[in-house]
């Protein structure tokens, strides 16, 4: 019988090696390009979608913070009867918009959707999101390399988690 | 098979308004079925709109986008009769593509 109690020395070494390789990989990939381009590249932002808190998701997606702006208009119902389908839209008067993202603070994973805009695409988008419970909703607009945000509280009467 | 994508693209002057409705379960992976088993996550990750060889609008979605997702946006530079190509891919490797004539 070959029961191993506790981590085997070599296995630990291998694991450590794997972790450091992963760390190096992480260090190189997102930060090789400047954070400003984090949302502008073509890859699906897997890491950002895995972050639980809204602050971590914003950091993972954009690498910095947004400043509140009245040029970002976030439209969502004050009270959503069905958290499974909440119509949400953003319009902005800002120029050179390259992306707009939605974060639902109280959801298990905060980042809901991120949209990339080409030149000539009107900086506005409407979509429908799930909300687990009453929550703060944040929209971030990336314009000319800067981040602007708008926030709104949505009261949810029936959460969007049930079947 | 009928396409999972329904699109309406209308040109009004220089601006084309696009509305798309896609049939997809958008399962979060957090919901249990009646037998108490987790329904695995199944959701669209990327949705692309291409017109005249250019990506005009790209959506990256997580599990918080509602079932049978809907999205609306507008863009400049297309005219009536131009073709808009719409394609999506999900986390299980599924995908669908369709084209729509701008009306």
């Amino acid at each position: 019988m070959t029961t191993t109690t506790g981590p085997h020395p070599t296995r630990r070494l291998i694991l450590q090696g794997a972790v450091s390789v992963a760390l190096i990989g992480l260090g190189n990939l997102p930060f090789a390009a400047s954070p400003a381009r984090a949302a502008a590249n073509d890859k699906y932002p897997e890491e950002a979608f895995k972050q639980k808190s809204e602050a971590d998701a914003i950091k993972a997606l954009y690498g910095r913070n947004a400043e509140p702006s009245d040029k970002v208009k976030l439209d969502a119902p004050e009270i959503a009867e069905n958290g499974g389908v909440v119509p949400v839209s953003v319009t902005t008067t800002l120029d050179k918009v390259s992306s707009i993202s939605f974060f639902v603070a109280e959801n298990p994973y905060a980042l809901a959707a991120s949209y990339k805009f080409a030149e000539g695409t009107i900086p506005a988008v409407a979509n429908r999101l799930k909300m687990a419970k009453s929550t703060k909703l944040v929209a971030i607009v990336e314009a000319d390399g800067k981040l602007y945000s708008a926030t709104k509280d949505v009261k949810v009467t029936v959460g969007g988690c049930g079947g | 098979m009928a396409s999972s994508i329904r699109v309406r693209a209308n040109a009004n002057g220089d601006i084309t308004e696009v509305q798309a409705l896609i049939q997809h379960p958008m399962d979060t992976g957090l919901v249990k079925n009646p037998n108490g088993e987790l329904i695995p996550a199944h959701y669209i990750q990327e949705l692309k709109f291409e017109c005249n060889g250019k990506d005009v609008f790209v959506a990256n979605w997580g599990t918080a986008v509602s079932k049978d997702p809907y999205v609306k946006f507008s863009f400049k530079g297309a005219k009536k009769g131009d073709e808009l190509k719409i394609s999506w891919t999900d986390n299980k490797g599924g995908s669908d593509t369709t084209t729509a004539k701008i009306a």
Side-chain angles (χ1 to χ4, degrees):
Chain A
M1 205 167 97
T2 54
T3 41
T4 44
T5 48
H8 200 268
T10 47
R11 199 179 110 191
R12 177 173 289 181
L13 271 178
I14 292 166
L15 282 174
Q16 276 173 349
V19 167
S20 48
V21 165
L23 284 176
I24 292 165
L26 279 179
N28 280 343
L29 280 173
F31 304 117
S34 80
R37 295 191 48 79
N41 64 27
D42 287 337
K43 260 195 75 173
Y44 180 74
E46 193 99 46
E47 274 310 307
F49 277 108
K50 281 186 195 152
Q51 303 303 319
K52 297 194 187 306
S53 84
E54 149 229 352
D56 287 347
I58 293 171
K59 209 178 286 169
L61 188 65
Y62 289 112
R64 63 224 142 93
N65 290 321
E67 55 173 282
S69 167
D70 56 8
K71 288 181 177 153
V72 179
K73 290 255 177 305
L74 171 60
D75 194 22
E78 231 146 77
I79 297 173
E81 278 179 18
N82 177 3
V85 189
V86 185
V88 175
S89 65
V90 161
T91 56
T92 177
T93 50
L94 291 159
D95 271 341
K96 296 186 187 165
V97 171
S98 51
S99 77
I100 295 180
S101 303
F102 295 94
F103 300 84
V104 184
E106 296 295 331
N107 270 7
Y109 303 100
L111 178 58
S114 179
Y115 298 93
K116 284 176 243 173
F117 293 79
E119 235 183 286
T121 301
I122 315 293
V125 60
N127 62 177
R128 301 194 294 221
L129 303 178
K130 292 177 210 164
M131 295 182 190
K133 51 182 163 183
S134 296
T135 182
K136 181 173 89 173
L137 172 70
V138 182
I140 291 194
V141 174
E142 185 186 25
D144 204 8
K146 289 203 183 73
L147 299 180
Y148 303 91
S149 68
T151 306
K152 188 160 181 174
D153 288 313
V154 180
K155 278 206 176 73
V156 176
T157 44
V158 180
C161 279
Chain B
M1 196 189 111
S3 172
S4 65
I5 310 172
R6 277 168 55 195
V7 201
R8 185 177 297 166
N10 290 318
N12 190 358
D14 190 33
I15 293 176
T16 303
E17 187 186 86
V18 182
Q19 284 177 288
L21 192 60
I22 299 160
Q23 271 177 20
H24 200 283
M26 297 301 282
D27 288 318
T28 60
L30 306 166
V31 179
K32 287 178 179 158
N33 68 14
N35 298 329
E37 297 146 354
L38 275 180
I39 302 166
H42 187 202
Y43 59 100
I44 294 177
Q45 292 189 314
E46 190 175 80
L47 168 70
K48 232 186 231 185
F49 295 82
E50 208 181 308
C51 187
N52 298 328
K54 190 179 129 189
D55 286 349
V56 289
F57 186 76
V58 180
N60 285 147
W61 282 345
T63 52
V65 172
S66 301
K67 180 184 173 199
D68 297 335
Y70 162 85
V71 69
K72 178 170 116 173
F73 73 98
S74 304
F75 69 101
K76 287 182 192 167
K79 54 186 187 308
K80 279 186 207 297
D82 283 358
E83 272 200 347
L84 184 70
K85 186 180 160 199
I86 303 101
S87 53
W88 61 256
T89 50
D90 68 25
N91 67 319
K92 287 185 173 175
S95 65
D96 199 6
T97 304
T98 193
T99 51
K101 265 215 165 60
I102 294 170

